[in-house]
Structures are given as structure tokens and as C-alpha cells.
Amino acid sequence: MADNDWKKRLGVVYSTDPDFKYEEEKAEEPETPEPSAQKLIVSIDRRNRGGKQVTLVTGFRGKEDDLAELGRTLKVKCGVGGSAKNGEITIQGDFRDKVTELLIKMGYKAKRGN
């Protein structure tokens, strides 16, 4: 059923060919540059979080798997929870100094924001 999802084919003109198979274009994930080529910004965010503070790491470019692995490493080193999606890592609590220090030790160009 997943390969016959009509919402993905809204812009397609109807075909009378019984052997026609609709093929989607799949977006390729960009290759992850080496850590020294990444410029990460570590900041704190309080908006839309019920007054709780979170540390945000933004500016990551590359594959989602590499982002998830970096997020997992930072969460383990800080001993807290968080998430990694859409090119940003969220760490629960104010760990700006510690996260910046860890990223620099890993070879990233990290800068502390606000």
C-alpha cells in the first residue's frame, strides 16, 4: 500500500498504459564533511519548552545517521537526554561550556553562542 500512495502523485497526469509504474525521485543525503570543516554553534534555548533550558547545537551538515551518532555521543558524555533531528542536536539542560569543549576535542569548529 505504501508504494500506491495517491497523495505523492497529485501532480501526475493520468496514464492509460496498464504497465505504467510511477517512480518517485529520491533526494540524496549530502555526504558528511570532516569535523574540521563543520562550523557548529552551541547556544541555549528556552522558547516553547515550558520554561526549561536546552542546549542547541546547530550548523551540522551531513547525513542524519552521523548527526544521530554525534548527538548520542554528546548525550552520553553529558549524562542527560536529548534529541538529534533536522540538522540540530538538543541536549536537556545548560551544558554550553561542556558541549563546546567536547566538540573541540572531537575536531569540530565549535563556537559558543548566546
Side-chain angles (χ1 to χ4, degrees), residues 13 21 26 28 30 37 41-42 57 96 105 108:
V13 178
K21 300 272 188 213
K26 297 191 180 193
E28 295 180 18
I41 298 173
V42 181
V57 180
R96 289 176 288 184
K105 284 182 183 176
Y108 289 93

Side-chain angles (χ1 to χ4, degrees), residues 42 74 95-108 110:
V42 181
L74 292 175
F95 290 96
R96 289 176 288 184
D97 295 329
K98 188 171 186 175
V99 168
T100 305
E101 182 181 313
L102 288 169
L103 289 171
I104 290 172
K105 284 182 183 176
M106 289 182 204
Y108 289 93

Side-chain angles (χ1 to χ4, degrees), residues 38-45 54-61 70 74 87-91 95-96 99-100 103 108-114:
Q38 300 259 10
K39 294 180 181 175
L40 303 178
I41 298 173
V42 181
S43 60
I44 195 160
D45 188 26
V54 296
T55 303
L56 285 178
V57 180
T58 56
F60 186 86
R61 296 171 302 168
L70 178 61
L74 292 175
E88 88 180 6
I89 300 170
T90 306
I91 305 288
F95 290 96
R96 289 176 288 184
V99 168
T100 305
L103 289 171
Y108 289 93
K109 290 181 183 175
K111 184 172 110 176
R112 183 178 170 188
N114 60 353

Side-chain angles (χ1 to χ4, degrees), residues 32-73:
T32 305
E34 61 185 49
S36 62
Q38 300 259 10
K39 294 180 181 175
L40 303 178
I41 298 173
V42 181
S43 60
I44 195 160
D45 188 26
R46 295 179 190 93
R47 283 182 269 133
N48 301 326
R49 304 188 192 275
K52 306 286 187 204
Q53 296 179 357
V54 296
T55 303
L56 285 178
V57 180
T58 56
F60 186 86
R61 296 171 302 168
K63 296 183 178 180
E64 287 291 324
D65 294 338
D66 296 334
L67 176 70
E69 183 61 35
L70 178 61
R72 189 175 306 113
T73 303

Side-chain angles (χ1 to χ4, degrees), residues 70-84:
L70 178 61
R72 189 175 306 113
T73 303
L74 292 175
K75 290 188 296 184
V76 167
K77 297 279 186 180
C78 292
V80 295
S83 67

